Amino acid sequence: MECKGVRTLMLVLMMVTCSLQQTPAKKKPVRKEKDAAIEELQRQINDIVQDLDRLKEEQALQRVCLKGTKINGKCVLADPVKKSYHTASEDCNALGGYLAAPSSAEENDQLTKYIQQSVGPAEQVWLGVNDMVTEGTWANQSGDSISYKNWDTSSSRSRQPDGGTSQNCAVLSVAAQGKWSDEKCRDENPSVCQFNIV
Ligand SMILES: *[C@@H]1O[C@H](CO)[C@@H](O)[C@H](O)[C@H]1NC(C)=O
Ligand SMILES: [Ca+2]
């Protein structure tokens, strides 16, 4: 009887010792959980930083929109400084935009009104429209050939575009009610930059 009791006691002791020895081993999963929690936090912080960057970009765009105007979901900002087409294009790209290319009569009308107010009634401005790559094929700043064009074909001047290979960049003339003509890209004109709103 006594012997059985001692055996039972020893068994219990062994079990307790065993479970005590296992305790340090249990720390591992806890550390893993901590690592996972830190990773999760890191991921959340990365998400927040990304959101913040996006918000900053949107805010910058809103500032552009406040200075300029909104036409058909796009922000448009005129640059009254006279520059060559390339310089105007580079300056616009540096702001995160493209020289504007109106894609409908309505957009062209709104753009003309905005330029009249912001740059002046006698001005002509660079659009993001050129036929540098293929003479006679007019493309926008993404390099896509455009379907909407508003060339000046009135009798008061020769039918536009009339410059052949010597004139590969397009301007919109406020004085000609928003009609376009081709000009030498090295000429200096105000320009109009366009930003897509996300
Ligand atoms: C160029 O035209 C294409 C096709 O219409 C359009 O998707 C793209 O946004 C235009 N790019 C610019 C800079 O206007
Ligand atoms: Ca040309």
Side-chain angles (χ1 to χ4, degrees):
M1 285 286 269
E2 252 182 45
C3 200
K4 210 180 177 187
V6 168
R7 265 168 68 187
T8 313
L9 187 66
M10 276 182 73
L11 253 174
V12 170
L13 269 173
M14 269 171 71
M15 277 164 68
V16 168
T17 320
C18 255
S19 69
L20 275 176
Q21 277 172 348
Q22 271 175 1
T23 319
K26 265 188 189 160
K27 264 190 181 164
K28 237 182 184 170
V30 170
R31 160 145 302 154
K32 261 191 189 161
E33 274 169 33
K34 265 192 191 163
D35 286 351
I38 289 172
E39 264 174 37
E40 173 64 14
L41 274 177
Q42 190 62 53
R43 202 184 53 75
Q44 286 181 5
I45 290 171
N46 289 346
D47 283 355
I48 290 169
V49 168
Q50 269 184 17
D51 282 353
L52 195 62
D53 284 348
R54 197 174 42 75
L55 279 174
K56 280 185 191 161
E57 259 176 48
E58 276 177 26
Q59 204 193 22
L61 262 183
Q62 294 298 338
R63 253 182 271 135
V64 170
C65 282
L66 283 178
K67 273 195 281 179
T69 191
K70 214 166 165 180
I71 296 175
N72 194 19
K74 287 170 268 187
C75 288
V76 172
L77 182 64
D79 181 354
V81 181
K82 293 184 179 177
K83 299 167 183 175
S84 72
Y85 182 92
H86 286 102
T87 306
S89 175
E90 277 167 16
D91 289 355
C92 172
N93 290 166
L95 293 173
Y98 289 102
L99 289 181
S103 55
S104 69
E106 200 192 336
E107 273 186 49
N108 200 80
D109 284 350
Q110 289 184 40
L111 191 61
T112 307
K113 276 193 198 111
Y114 165 63
I115 292 162
Q116 178 172 19
Q117 286 158 9
S118 60
V119 188
E123 296 295 341
Q124 55 178 24
V125 301
W126 289 128
L127 293 176
V129 171
N130 70 78
D131 73 336
M132 285 181 234
V133 175
T134 310
E135 172 58 28
T137 301
W138 294 87
N140 68 17
Q141 291 290 89
S142 313
D144 296 309
S145 72
I146 51 168
S147 47
Y148 174 77
K149 298 163 193 123
N150 195 34
W151 299 117
D152 194 347
T153 53
S154 62
S155 49
S156 57
R157 58 190 294 188
S158 76
R159 279 177 77 90
Q160 302 293 312
D162 67 345
T165 52
S166 70
Q167 298 185 354
N168 293 339
C169 292
V171 293
L172 177 153
S173 163
V174 179
Q177 283 81 45
K179 290 289 179 187
W180 304 0
S181 61
D182 58 343
E183 303 288 341
K184 290 192 183 74
C185 299
R186 245 172 295 153
D187 285 359
E188 298 192 332
N189 287 302
S191 53
V192 59
C193 193
Q194 158 190 310
F195 306 83
N196 292 327
I197 311 169
V198 268

